[in-house]
Amino acid sequence: IVDEASGVADPIMEAIMERQTAHSRMNDAEETRRFRTVNTKEYVDVLRELTNAGQNVNLLIAGNSMSPFLIHLRDYVFFEKPKRPLKKGDIVFYQRETGQYIMHRICKVDSSGYYMVGDAQTEIEGPLRREQIFGLVTHVQRKKKIEKPGTFWWEFFEHIWLTCLPIRPFLRGAYGLWARMMGRYRPDADIEDRTGE
């Protein structure tokens, strides 16, 4: 998914459109949302080429595996080719053996490789080889605000939320129950949305 108002450079779209077939035209619903649907793998292929050329690129979040930090079709991530050793807590892009592109958080690094988990998940994936990882998220646009290393929510999810991995289902369930009791529960909202922070 590409937001036409996001400032993604024209050459990116041109490269994508060259690779696309006629079925990539927008339907009426997409036009009203001002989104264009493109083949995800082809799009990320182009972004990967740009990061290999030294550029920092952005992508609209599609999917729920990184909630509650990043919300589907609301937030953007900005990433580049890693320029430093990767560590626990980093959000990275990698390619599975199947060819599928994934963005998750590193939860463990050891001699066997890198282990990943989404912020909404408890099941760990890995080990992955270093060469499977091609992008490091440097900052995000979350609720129209920039979050980066050093900001509260970035640090909260990188450190505190990551250590809560075994009890995430309980925490989310308990919060959902509390929110329902307070009349604030909205299934499509994240924690901050529900509390009004």
Side-chain angles (χ1 to χ4, degrees), residues 13 27 50 64 120 130 133 188:
M13 287 307 301
N27 61 32
L50 291 172
N64 298 305
R130 173 61 184 82
I133 303 170
D188 59 338

Side-chain angles (χ1 to χ4, degrees), residues 22-59:
H23 74 278
S24 65
R25 283 177 251 137
M26 293 186 290
N27 61 32
D28 290 341
E30 290 169 326
E31 286 180 12
T32 59
R33 291 181 61 101
R34 298 177 66 236
F35 288 108
R36 178 178 291 130
T37 301
V38 297
N39 181 293
T40 302
K41 185 178 185 308
E42 290 179 358
Y43 184 54
V44 179
D45 280 342
V46 173
L47 296 182
R48 186 174 185 176
E49 290 172 10
L50 291 172
T51 61
N52 285 336
Q55 295 190 40
N56 189 295
V57 298
N58 64 62
L59 181 68

Side-chain angles (χ1 to χ4, degrees), residues 41-123:
K41 185 178 185 308
E42 290 179 358
Y43 184 54
V44 179
D45 280 342
V46 173
L47 296 182
R48 186 174 185 176
E49 290 172 10
L50 291 172
T51 61
N52 285 336
Q55 295 190 40
N56 189 295
V57 298
N58 64 62
L59 181 68
L60 177 65
I61 291 294
N64 298 305
S65 68
M66 288 299 290
S67 69
F69 183 44
L70 300 171
I71 301 301
H72 176 67
L73 298 184
R74 186 195 71 183
D75 301 327
Y76 288 86
V77 293
F78 297 77
F79 67 97
E80 64 186 15
K81 185 176 182 178
K83 298 175 181 176
R84 60 164 173 78
L86 299 172
K87 60 180 177 58
K88 178 180 178 180
D90 284 340
I91 302 174
V92 296
F93 280 85
Y94 59 94
Q95 189 170 24
R96 288 175 172 159
E97 297 291 351
T98 60
Q100 183 182 17
Y101 288 123
I102 303 292
M103 183 194 71
H104 280 163
R105 193 182 296 277
I106 298 175
C107 64
K108 178 184 174 182
V109 182
D110 64 20
S111 59
S112 63
Y114 297 82
Y115 294 80
M116 310 290 179
V117 69
D119 285 351
Q121 301 174 332
T122 56
E123 186 174 341

Side-chain angles (χ1 to χ4, degrees), residues 122-136:
T122 56
E123 186 174 341
I124 296 172
E125 179 180 2
L128 278 75
R129 303 183 311 279
R130 173 61 184 82
E131 55 266 29
Q132 290 178 262
I133 303 170
F134 63 89
L136 172 65

